[in-house]
Amino acid sequence: MHLMILFARLFSWALVVTLMIGSMGVAHAQSTEPPQPDDQNVVAFERLGVTDQTLSGVFDGTRYLFNIPANWRLASGAQAQLDLSVFFPVGSAQQRLGGFLEARFNRVLIGTVELTQPGDRRVVFDIPDRALTPVRSDGRHEFEVALDNPTGCDVAPSERTAVVIRSTSRFVLPHTLAPLDTDLRNLPRPIFQGSFEPDQATIVIPDTPSISDLQAALTVAASFGRLTEGRLQIDLTTVQRLSPQARTGRHLILVGSHTGLAPLARNLDLPATLRENGFAAPGATPDDGILQMIVSPWNSERVVLVVSGASEAAVVKAARALSAVPVRINNRPNVAVVRDLPEAPADVALAIDQRLSDLGLEPRVIRDRTGTFDLKFTLPPGQQIDEGAYFDLTFNHAATVDFGQSSLSVGLNGIPIGSVRFSDETTRVTTSRITIPPSAARSGANVLTIQTNLAPRSLCTDVRNADLWATIWPESALHLPMKPATTEPRRTFNLSSYPLPFTLDPSLATTAFVVPQRAPAAWNAAALLAFQMGRQTRDAILQPLAVFADNVPADVRESYDLLVIGRPGALPILVELGDALPAPFDAGSDVPRSVDTPVVYRVPPDASVAYLQMVVAPWNPERVVVAALGSDDAGIEQATIMLIDPRQRARLTGTLAIVDPQQRVTLGNGRAVLTGSAPTPVATVTPVAVQPTQPTPQTVQPTPAPSRNASSNDSWLVPVVIIVAVIGASALILWRAPWRRPPGT
């Protein structure tokens, strides 16, 4: 009887241990599960595009910058909830304070937390109403977390506290929704807001666009590429092909003639209403472009921008005006009438000697440890910098910086041209001369970059309170002796050079898009390419040209670099290029008759294949033709992606690339394309016939089975089973022991 009671107690104890261990394992799994933001007021740091941030050392910090959606109005009750992992050195005294974390929202201190225990924790900071107003000039909210661990000065770097701010941290931002602002002067906002919500827009053109409609659409795409620095997601479609999902879920930019846009525009309550002869804007003539923007009737969180006019010239004029923001409005903030634009970008001639104050620069104080700002200037066309050019940099800085680790550096058009080391002398206003090599400057737009690196004298200096600064004074001056440009040297290009040579002209005025007449997929690809080109330009009014493939005028061939897009069979100009192409096409065919590559794969006739080619234009050796082709719409899209995506474009090393259905990239014709005033003979290509050989079989490797994670949720069962087995065996041995048995058993 006693034995049974003992066994029952042992079994109960084992069961309790099992349940305790099991519950401990489950609790640990829950503590590492990231919180799922399921409330409309919650914004996880992951949505801001940030990863885990580690703070360590004596003084360290990180900063988060973000925009909120344009229709949000923040209300009381905001919080910052930080998921922290605190690490103390192994063997360190727990009594020693691990430091503090300070949190600031829009530069207002919202809380301090002591770091007294290692491990994971969530810290909540309440954000007062007075901190909800941005103080940055760009309107973004700023959240800063700083580690303050002065005791770390007394120990080795390996013995200092480290804090990881997890990306599962989040803001709680109660808000109300307000109507979107449709003031044209604020473009690209609200079409592009730069918040944690994706910015998406669809350009809508008439079902049967004229070449002017298409040219205007490509100009609009390039303008938004520039205005948003390539961060807007765009596509292009026609009125009839606009899906209900896109109409409701995306901003819409209607581009084209009033008659072509009428099926959509007649459903809009526009300030300049649609009439039989155009949009009725006060004082507008048929040759005036019309810009207007309203809140979308299909979704109050989206807008509709209309770029139109009563004539083809007016439509193009309205599109070009978008590259000259801020837009000048009419009698209402959401309507603009474009009367005139210069036919060519205005060239600003520089004096030989010019102070930065003449270029609009005021004293610039830099307080960040690393600061950069750009100064733009333009050289007259037909001129180039002569020997003896220099930049006199007038500056000074705080005496609290470490002279050995702090400096100013100067670059021109991305090329470093000089630097200045700090000293006691440079704490006073000083002028240092930086020589400008003539080859670093170029005709047209130039960018002078000044970068600072400010380091404190001691690692234990709190840079938040230290007076670290450097000032660039407008007395700084450029000395630019110029001379007439010599004959332009021959230039070398291949597909990896894209978007060169198209972006050599900042207005894209030497770029012509060649597309088929009835090819929405090619039009969309052209818009994506124009968008990316616009991202690479600045200042000038954008003027790309568009022509249909069956009518490319002789003056366009002579004066423009051509970007040919679409299915080869719909592009007669490819037949004219003939064997100048590495992969030439016969009339009406989407399959090349020969391919100048070392390896040729047999591809089924109905397969989706992408082709990229670059050649010198046979009608003008100073111009280039780039062809982005596809055997079907998917192939056109793939060719476009190869040009747009920098990672994929880096794989292009020659003047021919073919992407087959297995995503194999075949490169050919590694010879570079040379352009310039020197005559360039058209290269002849030896055709490589496609032999009807059997495709090489490829061995398919079996996918390895995933190994079981030893730290999975079931791993706690193993020690529990062992413990129960040991207890059971001990109980059995105890019961079987001779000294426990009664006599006679």
Side-chain angles (χ1 to χ4, degrees):
M1 186 67 179
H2 292 290
L3 179 62
M4 296 300 294
I5 293 174
L6 176 62
F7 182 78
R9 289 177 177 174
L10 290 173
F11 182 79
S12 300
W13 177 80
L15 182 60
V16 170
V17 171
T18 300
L19 293 175
M20 289 177 62
I21 296 175
S23 63
M24 289 171 61
V26 172
H28 178 73
Q30 290 177 341
S31 66
T32 59
E33 184 70 21
Q36 297 299 321
D38 54 0
D39 187 272
Q40 63 178 358
N41 296 328
V42 175
V43 180
F45 282 20
E46 295 165 318
R47 295 177 65 188
L48 305 181
V50 300
T51 57
D52 293 353
Q53 303 292 313
T54 301
L55 308 182
S56 62
V58 182
F59 300 105
D60 199 1
T62 187
R63 183 170 54 179
Y64 304 86
L65 302 175
F66 65 95
N67 277 326
I68 59 175
N71 62 337
W72 279 28
R73 301 294 180 267
L74 297 184
S76 300
Q79 291 182 334
Q81 301 179 356
L82 298 186
D83 292 336
L84 306 178
S85 295
V86 182
F87 299 92
F88 287 167
V90 176
S92 63
Q94 292 299 317
Q95 295 81 7
R96 183 172 62 82
L97 187 65
F100 302 86
L101 276 186
E102 289 186 351
R104 287 177 169 80
F105 197 84
N106 289 326
R107 302 177 189 173
V108 175
L109 180 65
I110 62 174
T112 303
V113 58
E114 295 183 357
L115 305 174
T116 58
Q117 296 292 333
D120 298 335
R121 60 188 294 192
R122 168 168 286 183
V123 179
V124 178
F125 298 101
D126 292 325
I127 302 176
D129 292 353
R130 62 189 176 90
L132 296 178
T133 302
V135 294
R136 294 176 55 88
S137 59
D138 59 10
R140 288 186 293 178
H141 290 277
E142 177 182 304
F143 179 61
E144 183 180 9
V145 182
L147 170 65
D148 185 344
N149 184 24
T151 59
C153 289
D154 304 326
V155 298
S158 60
E159 298 180 5
R160 294 173 183 147
T161 300
V163 180
V164 179
I165 304 174
R166 301 296 182 186
S167 60
T168 55
S169 303
R170 57 190 190 172
F171 295 114
V172 178
L173 300 174
H175 61 276
T176 58
L177 298 180
L180 287 173
D181 184 6
T182 56
D183 192 329
L184 291 168
R185 292 170 295 186
N186 297 328
L187 283 172
R189 194 173 175 91
I191 293 176
F192 174 75
Q193 302 172 23
S195 74
F196 40 80
E197 299 288 353
D199 292 304
Q200 302 173 325
T202 294
I203 299 174
V204 185
I205 60 177
D207 294 318
T208 308
S210 68
I211 196 59
S212 296
D213 293 337
L214 194 56
Q215 180 172 317
L218 299 183
T219 304
V220 169
S223 296
F224 274 95
R226 172 192 289 174
L227 295 173
T228 67
E229 297 179 347
R231 293 182 289 163
L232 178 67
Q233 300 176 28
I234 72 156
D235 61 1
L236 180 145
T237 189
T238 63
V239 170
Q240 189 173 9
R241 295 166 65 94
L242 178 65
S243 68
Q245 294 79 11
R247 185 180 61 186
T248 303
R250 301 170 72 99
H251 299 289
L252 301 182
I253 306 173
L254 311 187
V255 184
S257 65
H258 67 284
T259 54
L261 298 178
L264 267 180
R266 66 168 60 103
N267 299 317
L268 303 176
D269 186 15
L270 294 168
T273 57
L274 179 63
R275 301 286 174 82
E276 191 70 25
N277 58 346
F279 293 98
T285 69
D287 291 330
D288 291 338
I290 305 294
L291 297 172
Q292 48 187 327
M293 183 163 57
I294 62 170
V295 175
S296 171
W298 302 288
N299 184 346
S300 62
E301 297 185 6
R302 301 290 183 265
V303 297
V304 179
L305 172 65
V306 180
V307 182
S308 187
S311 65
E312 292 190 354
V315 173
V316 173
K317 190 183 298 183
R320 289 179 177 175
L322 284 178
S323 61
V325 294
V327 173
R328 298 183 63 180
I329 61 174
N330 200 23
N331 58 345
R332 299 180 62 174
N334 58 346
V335 180
V337 177
V338 185
R339 298 191 184 279
D340 194 20
L341 287 171
E343 289 299 323
D347 294 305
V348 181
L350 279 180
I352 291 180
D353 291 286
Q354 196 165 56
R355 291 187 174 187
L356 299 193
S357 56
D358 299 330
L359 301 174
L361 181 71
E362 297 179 350
R364 180 68 178 264
V365 180
I366 302 175
R367 297 188 181 275
D368 293 334
R369 292 191 62 173
T370 301
T372 300
F373 75 93
D374 293 337
L375 179 71
K376 307 170 188 175
F377 64 91
T378 303
L379 293 181
Q383 296 287 314
Q384 68 183 49
I385 297 242
D386 202 352
E387 298 292 337
Y390 58 80
F391 172 51
D392 277 344
L393 174 62
T394 303
F395 71 100
N396 68 324
H397 58 82
T400 53
V401 301
D402 185 335
F403 297 157
Q405 301 185 57
S406 302
S407 64
L408 278 173
S409 61
V410 179
L412 183 59
N413 298 323
I415 304 173
I417 60 173
S419 63
V420 180
R421 182 179 292 274
F422 289 173
S423 65
D424 281 324
E425 182 180 349
T426 56
T427 60
R428 299 179 292 273
V429 176
T430 306
T431 298
S432 180
R433 179 160 295 181
I434 308 292
T435 300
I436 299 178
S439 59
R442 58 196 179 201
S443 178
N446 289 261
V447 181
L448 185 75
T449 300
I450 303 174
Q451 181 171 349
T452 62
N453 180 29
L454 307 178
R457 291 194 172 187
S458 171
L459 177 66
C460 297
T461 301
D462 186 351
V463 296
R464 295 165 297 164
N465 300 322
D467 193 16
L468 299 179
W469 55 265
T471 300
I472 311 299
W473 294 96
E475 285 76 13
S476 302
L478 287 164
H479 175 68
L480 301 173
M482 288 177 278
K483 64 180 181 180
T486 57
T487 303
E488 187 174 1
R490 302 181 72 189
R491 297 170 297 186
T492 302
F493 300 108
N494 59 28
L495 290 171
S496 65
S497 307
Y498 182 89
L500 295 176
F502 300 102
T503 53
L504 289 176
D505 186 325
S507 67
L508 301 182
T510 57
T511 295
F513 293 85
V514 182
V515 293
Q517 276 204 356
R518 289 172 289 278
W523 303 339
N524 179 56
L528 296 177
L529 293 169
F531 179 84
Q532 291 297 327
M533 284 186 193
R535 180 185 182 183
Q536 307 294 326
T537 68
R538 62 180 73 219
D539 298 337
I541 293 177
L542 293 169
Q543 303 181 66
L545 185 70
V547 293
F548 285 133
D550 57 355
N551 182 23
V552 183
D555 62 328
V556 173
R557 300 167 188 245
E558 288 286 337
S559 305
Y560 288 79
D561 295 304
L562 304 186
L563 184 55
V564 183
I565 307 162
R567 297 182 64 164
L571 298 165
I573 193 171
L574 297 181
V575 179
E576 298 181 43
L577 289 169
D579 288 339
L581 291 170
F585 292 86
D586 291 325
S589 174
D590 292 332
V591 179
R593 66 172 180 267
S594 62
V595 180
D596 185 11
T597 60
V599 178
V600 179
Y601 296 96
R602 172 170 291 279
V603 179
D606 57 347
S608 177
V609 184
Y611 305 93
L612 288 174
Q613 306 193 56
M614 173 182 278
V615 295
V616 171
W619 38 78
N620 184 347
E622 295 186 3
R623 294 298 175 189
V624 164
V625 179
V626 173
L629 315 171
S631 60
D632 58 5
D633 291 352
I636 297 172
E637 179 182 7
Q638 178 62 55
T640 304
I641 293 173
M642 289 289 291
L643 287 178
I644 289 176
D645 187 344
R647 293 169 298 181
Q648 297 201 44
R649 189 169 66 247
R651 302 165 64 186
L652 307 177
T653 58
T655 58
L656 171 66
I658 302 174
V659 185
D660 66 14
Q662 283 73 42
Q663 294 300 300
R664 292 175 299 205
V665 180
T666 304
L667 303 176
N669 200 345
R671 295 184 293 276
V673 167
L674 299 177
T675 68
S677 57
T680 304
V682 177
T684 58
V685 178
T686 303
V688 179
V690 181
Q691 300 296 332
T693 56
Q694 294 297 323
T696 304
Q698 297 185 5
T699 304
V700 179
Q701 298 294 334
T703 304
S707 59
R708 184 174 179 83
N709 187 351
S711 61
S712 65
N713 292 336
D714 295 336
S715 61
W716 61 272
L717 290 174
V718 176
V720 170
V721 171
I722 295 175
I723 293 173
V724 173
V726 171
I727 294 174
S730 301
L732 181 62
I733 294 172
L734 183 65
W735 178 70
R736 297 286 298 176
W739 58 272
R740 294 288 300 169
R741 282 186 242 158
T745 62

